[in-house]
Amino acid sequence: MSEHVMICEVGPRDGLQIAKSRLETGAKCRWIAAMAQAGLKEIEVGSFVPPKLIPQMADTEAVVRFAKEIPGLVVVALAPNLRGAQAAVAAGAHRVSIPVSVSEGHSRANLNRAPDAQVAVVGQIVAWMKDMGNPAEIEVACSTAFGCSIDGAVPEREVVRIAAALAETGVEQIGLADTVGYANPAQIRSVVRAVRREIGPALRGLHLHDTMGLGIANALAGLDAGIRDFDAALAGLGGCPFAPGPLAISSPRISCSCWRAWASPPASTLRR
């Protein structure tokens, strides 16, 4: 293959955030180091969120500071607001991932604000990053882009609208997330193509879950539609603590913003 698929491992964030207990910081760091040694080049190591809401992420600053010292590793951290983004940059994260729910119900449950209000928050983060000389990259994940366990079906036109509004803020890396794993291959192809028609190459990746057993099939549909960046979670860990209903388990190898080529490219081509 002349093109490579890129993978970002998100287990330390997406996987551990639904754990019933906290993984000790040292064990978390050893896990991240082992994955980097295995060849992963991008890892989402945690999220800068209030510890009282997700105590499993209380040590994210320490984990980021550890991970950034691993040679060649791109360290990604999730932040839901400007304060979190500032903390991520201060800790040394190379990329900040910002969630924006397309559905109203999930946005209220996950971020305590409407989707358009969260788009405005992204604009604030983009402006702050620019004022600071762009110390880190920004990527945005459009959560519940393929369905919501609170609101049900999510109109394709609404996904396109939110993606377009995000592109207008200046964000250059936008992904579509099947937060609860309700998507099917036909829907993946349709939504990806519709969003790409609207925002072009700013659409970078997919974040998929295997709730209905379609994770790999949906990944293949995304690949067919031109996506080359995906997330993955080791051992199928993953799920949103603010999305009620069936547990959204990540597919064994594939999820949203970066990937590895099916044709086994050299380890140096792995991005996340």
Side-chain angles (χ1 to χ4, degrees):
M1 292 177 65
S2 61
E3 296 181 79
H4 290 157
V5 172
M6 311 301 286
I7 293 177
C8 179
E9 168 62 39
V10 299
R13 194 278 302 174
D14 199 352
L16 296 183
Q17 70 180 9
I18 62 168
K20 295 185 181 300
S21 60
R22 288 181 56 186
L23 182 64
E24 186 265 328
T25 303
K28 194 181 294 186
C29 290
R30 289 191 295 273
W31 177 27
I32 292 168
M35 291 191 292
Q37 187 175 16
L40 285 163
K41 296 300 181 184
E42 291 193 12
I43 301 177
E44 189 174 68
V45 301
S47 58
F48 286 89
V49 294
K52 65 179 181 180
L53 296 179
I54 306 182
Q56 300 89 334
M57 298 291 107
D59 59 353
T60 294
E61 179 181 354
V63 174
V64 168
R65 293 189 182 279
F66 167 83
K68 73 176 184 178
E69 300 302 324
I70 299 176
L73 180 66
V74 175
V75 179
V76 185
L78 182 145
N81 51 38
L82 177 58
R83 181 177 179 180
Q86 291 170 333
V89 170
H94 302 120
R95 180 176 295 121
V96 180
S97 179
I98 309 165
V100 176
S101 301
V102 177
S103 63
E104 180 84 18
H106 186 263
S107 188
R108 295 286 184 183
N110 191 40
L111 300 167
N112 196 32
R113 61 178 67 92
D116 288 314
Q118 182 63 2
V119 171
V121 168
V122 172
Q124 295 172 359
I125 296 173
V126 170
W128 178 79
M129 286 282 193
K130 184 176 180 179
D131 289 342
M132 295 297 292
N134 296 315
E137 296 181 10
I138 301 173
E139 64 180 5
V140 178
C142 296
S143 305
T144 63
F146 302 95
C148 176
S149 60
I150 299 173
D151 292 354
V154 175
E156 185 175 286
R157 64 180 180 277
E158 188 64 10
V159 182
V160 173
R161 186 185 73 81
I162 291 294
L166 288 169
E168 289 178 0
T169 69
V171 172
E172 297 179 349
Q173 300 183 50
I174 298 173
L176 303 176
D178 186 17
T179 308
V180 290
Y182 287 174
N184 60 67
Q187 185 184 17
I188 293 288
R189 292 188 183 92
S190 179
V191 175
V192 167
R193 288 167 179 165
V195 172
R196 177 158 286 132
R197 283 194 298 270
E198 186 69 24
I199 68 173
L203 175 59
R204 296 286 292 274
L206 286 173
H207 180 99
L208 308 173
H209 286 261
D210 202 37
T211 311
M212 303 302 177
L214 292 173
I216 296 297
N218 287 338
L220 182 59
L223 187 72
D224 182 60
I227 297 295
R228 295 294 181 267
D229 292 343
F230 295 80
D231 288 345
L234 189 68
L237 297 170
C240 178
F242 301 105
L247 184 61
I249 300 297
S250 299
S251 69
R253 272 305 302 176
I254 299 188
S255 208
C256 154
S257 266
C258 280
W259 314 47
R260 195 177 87 99
W262 300 106
S264 299
S268 62
T269 66
L270 297 179
R271 189 160 64 87
R272 51 177 181 175

